Amino acid sequence: MTIPKEGEKIQIHSYKHNGNIHRVWQETTVLKGTRNIVIGANERTLVTESDGRTWVTREPSICYFHAEHWFNIICMLREDGVYYYVNISSPFVYNNKTLKYIDYDLDVKVFPDMGYMILDEDEYELHKKQMNYPEVIDQILHNNLEKLLGWIKQRRGPFASDFIEAWTARYEFYKSVQEEK
């Protein structure tokens, strides 16, 4: 697997378990790229849905992907604080300037005070039947949901305040470099 380079612009592709494309984020700037972790940032990026509809993200976001955890975390930087949207998903793979993962429907919305809501449990149950999620996948996803909830409660990883400060500063640096070009 190739590794994305810092400062590089990549796409993010989300798939469903059946292999169909779910959503594409047109442009994300890589802030950190290793074999296990990709941290990226985007702002006002074009998103294309599987049915062809498009929309543009509203606020700057820091995105955290891990090759060993079955979730990814979007940190949305809003005027009244950082909101998080977590996709329960497969670990990422990266090739051809594209980060890819499988979206497994379950999501967690986390508020600035670290309160959270688990979303789309009904969609998960429906797709689990329709796409025949294996029992082992179901177990992995629920174990990773519990791990994620622990991170939220302990303010670990992207939920730590120093994470947001450090990666927002790095994103501002790359934005200033792009503006100079």
Side-chain angles (χ1 to χ4, degrees), residues 85-98:
Y85 198 87
V86 184
N87 296 294
I88 301 300
S89 66
S90 69
F92 78 89
V93 296
Y94 178 80
N95 61 19
N96 297 325
K97 294 191 181 227
T98 306

Side-chain angles (χ1 to χ4, degrees), residues 52-93:
R53 288 182 300 122
T54 60
W55 52 280
V56 176
T57 60
R58 292 185 304 215
E59 62 267 314
S61 295
I62 306 295
C63 312
Y64 174 89
F65 298 89
H66 203 287
E68 295 177 3
H69 300 306
W70 287 66
F71 51 82
N72 60 67
I73 303 168
I74 312 303
C75 314
M76 297 170 289
L77 312 175
R78 296 183 179 161
E79 286 185 24
D80 62 336
V82 179
Y83 290 76
Y84 302 84
Y85 198 87
V86 184
N87 296 294
I88 301 300
S89 66
S90 69
F92 78 89
V93 296

Side-chain angles (χ1 to χ4, degrees), residues 30 54 62 64 84 87 101 119 131 138 142 153 160 168 172:
V30 175
T54 60
I62 306 295
Y64 174 89
Y84 302 84
N87 296 294
Y101 67 91
L119 307 172
M131 297 183 213
D138 184 60
H142 282 92
K153 292 171 187 164
T168 300
E172 292 300 326

Side-chain angles (χ1 to χ4, degrees), residues 2-106:
T2 58
I3 299 170
K5 295 178 180 64
E6 289 184 18
E8 180 177 40
K9 305 267 190 213
I10 65 170
Q11 285 191 346
I12 299 172
H13 291 190
S14 167
Y15 294 85
K16 286 298 185 183
H17 183 80
N18 62 8
N20 291 337
I21 192 79
H22 174 54
R23 189 172 286 140
V24 173
W25 287 261
Q26 194 62 39
E27 187 174 278
T28 296
T29 301
V30 175
L31 304 178
K32 178 179 181 171
T34 70
R35 281 179 146 1
N36 286 330
I37 294 173
V38 172
I39 298 172
N42 60 51
E43 182 175 2
R44 292 188 288 280
T45 193
L46 180 67
V47 180
T48 304
E49 301 286 343
S50 61
D51 63 5
R53 288 182 300 122
T54 60
W55 52 280
V56 176
T57 60
R58 292 185 304 215
E59 62 267 314
S61 295
I62 306 295
C63 312
Y64 174 89
F65 298 89
H66 203 287
E68 295 177 3
H69 300 306
W70 287 66
F71 51 82
N72 60 67
I73 303 168
I74 312 303
C75 314
M76 297 170 289
L77 312 175
R78 296 183 179 161
E79 286 185 24
D80 62 336
V82 179
Y83 290 76
Y84 302 84
Y85 198 87
V86 184
N87 296 294
I88 301 300
S89 66
S90 69
F92 78 89
V93 296
Y94 178 80
N95 61 19
N96 297 325
K97 294 191 181 227
T98 306
L99 183 144
K100 302 172 184 177
Y101 67 91
I102 298 170
D103 181 299
Y104 279 103
D105 315 309
L106 286 173

